[in-house]
Amino acid sequence: MATQNNSNPRNGNLFAALRAAFPQDLDTLAIETDNGLFYSWRDLERATAMLANLLESLDLPAGARIAVQVEKSVEAMLLYLATLRAGFVYLPLNSAYQSAEIEYFIGNAEPAVVVCSGKNFAWVSKIAFKAGVRNVFTLNDDRSGSLLERAAHCPDRHQVAHCGPDELAAIVYTSGTTGRSKGAMLSHGNLLSNALVLKDYWGWRAGDVLIHALPIFHVHGLFVAIHGALLNGSKMIWLGKFDPKLVLQKMPEATLFMGVPTLYVRLLNEPGLNRETARSMRLFISGSAPLLIETFNDWQRRTGHTILERYGMSETVMLTSNPYHAKDGARRGGTVGFPLPGVSLRVRDDQGRPVPAGEIGGIEVKGPNVFKGYWCMPEKTAEEFTSDGYFRTGDVGQVDARGYVTIVGRSKDLIISGGYNVYPAEIEGYINEFPGVAESAVIGVPHADFGEVGVALVIAKPGASIDPAQIIANLKSTLANFKVPKQCLVVDALPRNSMGKVQKNMLRAQYGAG
Ligand code: MCA
Ligand code: AMP
């Protein structure tokens, strides 16, 4: 671990910057939860110190990864902050992942510490110990578990570890086109530079209160929302799980809300959503998936507020945003706004040539927020960068004459369902293993609630009979639930182009409407 120095003004540790933004009066309220808990800023300071001291007492090597698969809780957030504080690398894992998925992440990232829910300890610890992990703790969403028991014996003072801006803060796994997930390495500098830009661009100000309703194992809920509130010394109203009725109940006490489009769709289904409920709100932010123009318009009509849509990735944190201040322009539905200050964004054709304004091409980006590469995958990393250092996002879009960016599609074969990414190749790999299956294609089709959901089209081997319900049931027992296609259909053939590649656009046209 790096040297410790709390007072060095040049400490690039993200936690040092977040800590410096805590209000002067540490006894004021920092977080209020939906189950009646209240945390002061002093609680955050002390608990992160105790957890950081616990991590340091384990004698971990520099750059050790702390892999965490737990349900959402304030303590899980404190563990994230403590990991930064101690100078280690946080590795968040979706709580829906099952054993094959966890085995891959642990095998690939080789964490020194694994923290899991008590209910999963038996199988997670088995995988972890087999992979050589020495420290496995439990953390439950009711403040129980061995992690907090151990931390309770640690001192509540701690000097923030000194980190350079290029040192790793987190590894976020993002699914790969080949089906294998890649760990995006994000540095303290990547995360801090983005958080500082967003604080300014979204006009964070004194008195702001954020409703935190997103999961904290992906970029949106973990970085964008938490860094935003902490860096502004703002209170969070913390919901363990998104519940539209609860959000409406809390809205009159809040000023900011961040959600994926599904959250906005579900809130619009609530008759109680109106101008009166949203009277204290300053800003509604949407991202992680395309926001339908109907949702954008309905929201404006019902609440009087214009949703601000922004665009980002695990590899880059936030890239573009519609403006907050009217002087910077209007928030335009269907667009993701302008490149954020410091982000250089360009659109290129297949040959790498720039395309004129308004024409479609691949989106490439550069900036202090762009990640350091994929964990242990130098070739993959090199493939995704151009010779002049731009990262190829895999998103297809256009920039209009006024500079607004619109995402029109993806060159990567990705389904975004309720804000979670699903890579068809991974699901097809599992389906193709089933007895009697010759081949399969998984496509994304429009869905009123999740925006898009997966549908599996399966071809049987000659003479074999396949039970689609059995395929779905087996996938449910193997994969994170959001990855499981909502429907499985047995078909005779899959349309192919002259190169023999399955033409998924034809399948989407054929099956999308149903
Ligand atoms: C749940 N289910 C889903 C999804 N979520 N199916 C497809 N897609 C989903 N996203 C299914 C489950 O499999 C289950 O089905 C049933 O719904 C109920 O599960 P439950 O967990 O109770 O669902 P929920 O609580 O209603 O969750 C829906 C949700 C959640 C609140 C929309 O998916 C969510 O929090 N999404 C946000 C994801 C997010 O934070 N993304 C940001 C990524 P069954 O019973 O059949 O198993 S960061 C990112 O993308 C970038 C960087 C960015 O720009 O932000
Ligand atoms: P992830 O791998 O979870 O980081 O997801 C990143 C991907 O989500 C991006 O490459 C986009 O395809 C998509 N995405 C994020 N925000 C938006 C948005 N506002 N509109 C359309 N797609 C988005």
Side-chain angles (χ1 to χ4, degrees):
M1 196 205 34
T3 53
Q4 299 191 349
N5 185 346
N6 216 7
S7 53
N8 183 346
R10 283 181 301 165
N11 187 356
N13 189 317
L14 167 63
F15 181 81
L18 299 176
R19 174 64 187 83
F22 284 13
Q24 259 191 342
D25 181 358
L26 288 180
D27 291 318
T28 53
L29 189 57
I31 302 177
E32 157 191 342
T33 70
D34 54 355
N35 54 352
L37 299 175
F38 296 89
Y39 298 76
S40 67
W41 294 93
R42 192 180 303 283
D43 293 332
L44 268 51
E45 161 59 21
R46 290 183 58 224
T48 55
M50 292 162 93
L51 285 162
N53 280 318
L54 170 61
L55 293 176
E56 283 180 4
S57 73
L58 301 175
D59 232 357
L60 309 175
R65 276 78 61 209
I66 316 295
V68 180
Q69 191 202 23
V70 297
E71 297 302 329
K72 181 177 179 182
S73 68
V74 173
E75 287 66 30
M77 179 196 78
L78 295 171
L79 174 58
Y80 162 57
L81 296 175
T83 304
L84 296 176
R85 186 171 185 153
F88 296 116
V89 181
Y90 195 71
L91 198 169
L93 293 166
N94 194 312
S95 59
Y97 291 146
Q98 303 207 47
S99 57
E101 291 154 319
I102 293 297
E103 196 168 356
Y104 171 74
F105 296 124
I106 291 183
N108 188 256
E110 300 183 328
V113 177
V114 169
V115 182
C116 65
S117 303
K119 65 177 179 359
N120 297 337
F121 180 76
W123 65 266
V124 175
S125 64
K126 199 167 153 197
I127 293 170
F129 291 139
K130 203 170 137 209
V133 180
R134 295 232 198 97
N135 305 285
V136 182
F137 295 102
T138 56
L139 174 63
N140 302 313
D141 58 5
D142 61 358
R143 290 176 295 150
S144 65
S146 60
L147 183 85
L148 298 181
E149 282 163 21
R150 285 282 296 276
H153 300 286
C154 294
D156 63 359
R157 281 167 175 271
H158 173 269
Q159 289 236 305
V160 179
H162 190 272
C163 290
D166 286 335
E167 283 182 56
L168 291 196
I171 298 181
V172 180
Y173 274 84
T174 153
S175 302
T177 34
T178 52
R180 289 274 84 161
S181 282
K182 299 167 288 183
M185 299 189 285
L186 293 156
S187 68
H188 286 262
N190 289 149
L191 297 176
L192 180 56
S193 62
N194 206 238
L196 288 169
V197 164
L198 294 177
K199 174 173 158 43
D200 189 46
Y201 204 74
W202 291 345
W204 280 89
R205 60 189 189 210
D208 269 338
V209 175
L210 172 77
I211 298 183
H212 193 302
L214 286 162
I216 55 166
F217 25 70
H218 295 291
V219 163
H220 200 161
L222 184 64
F223 301 149
V224 187
I226 290 175
H227 296 167
L230 295 184
L231 202 54
N232 196 51
S234 281
K235 183 178 120 178
M236 282 189 266
I237 298 177
W238 186 269
L239 311 188
K241 203 173 181 311
F242 171 72
D243 170 352
K245 290 197 167 48
L246 198 52
V247 172
L248 288 189
Q249 194 188 317
K250 297 288 178 191
M251 207 175 273
E253 299 161 38
T255 64
L256 268 127
F257 178 79
M258 296 185 192
V260 300
T262 300
L263 271 51
Y264 288 99
V265 169
R266 290 188 183 181
L267 283 165
L268 279 166
N269 288 336
E270 292 295 322
L273 178 79
N274 53 41
R275 283 169 189 256
E276 178 56 17
T277 345
R279 65 185 178 275
S280 66
M281 292 297 289
R282 177 171 78 74
L283 185 57
F284 291 96
I285 298 170
S286 175
S288 310
L291 182 75
L292 293 181
I293 194 78
E294 296 93 282
T295 313
F296 177 87
N297 288 337
D298 287 352
W299 194 268
Q300 211 166 33
R301 205 167 30 77
R302 287 273 291 280
T303 68
H305 287 274
T306 308
I307 295 177
L308 177 155
E309 185 171 5
R310 72 4 169 230
Y311 154 62
M313 297 181 75
S314 298
E315 289 93 333
T316 63
V317 213
M318 296 302 101
L319 288 166
T320 74
S321 172
N322 268 281
Y324 170 67
H325 295 288
K327 67 173 171 49
D328 296 327
R331 287 177 217 158
R332 299 178 63 84
T335 83
V336 292
F338 304 117
L340 285 165
V343 173
S344 168
L345 182 147
R346 69 189 190 189
V347 180
R348 300 257 149 161
D349 68 14
D350 288 347
Q351 269 76 50
R353 291 174 303 219
V355 304
E359 288 195 18
I360 291 169
I363 296 178
E364 300 177 354
V365 294
K366 199 182 206 176
N369 51 318
V370 174
F371 74 136
K372 301 289 164 201
Y374 295 113
W375 174 256
C376 290
M377 294 185 187
E379 297 84 11
K380 262 266 158 283
T381 304
E383 269 171 36
E384 306 294 346
F385 281 87
T386 62
S387 56
D388 58 347
Y390 278 75
F391 172 60
R392 297 188 179 97
T393 63
D395 291 307
V396 175
Q398 65 187 57
V399 182
D400 72 15
R402 288 162 303 185
Y404 285 88
V405 180
T406 302
I407 313 284
V408 300
R410 302 166 203 133
S411 60
K412 53 195 176 190
D413 195 7
L414 164 70
I415 299 169
I416 304 184
S417 185
Y420 285 140
N421 289 4
V422 181
Y423 273 85
E426 180 187 7
I427 320 302
E428 288 159 5
Y430 280 97
I431 297 177
N432 295 346
E433 296 286 302
F434 279 76
V437 170
E439 63 173 324
S440 62
V442 172
I443 54 166
V445 301
H447 188 269
D449 183 31
F450 292 123
E452 212 177 8
V453 293
V455 168
L457 303 161
V458 182
I459 297 188
K461 284 182 179 155
S465 89
I466 297 175
D467 177 3
Q470 191 59 47
I471 292 187
I472 295 281
N474 285 2
L475 289 175
K476 279 191 175 179
S477 66
T478 315
L479 292 170
N481 57 8
F482 62 87
K483 293 184 191 170
V484 178
K486 301 290 181 218
Q487 218 187 351
C488 178
L489 302 168
V490 179
V491 296
D492 293 333
L494 295 172
R496 289 180 185 281
N497 64 15
S498 54
M499 310 287 285
K501 196 168 180 280
V502 174
Q503 288 178 297
K504 291 203 170 171
N505 51 343
M506 289 182 68
L507 291 173
R508 279 192 286 268
Q510 191 176 347
Y511 295 97

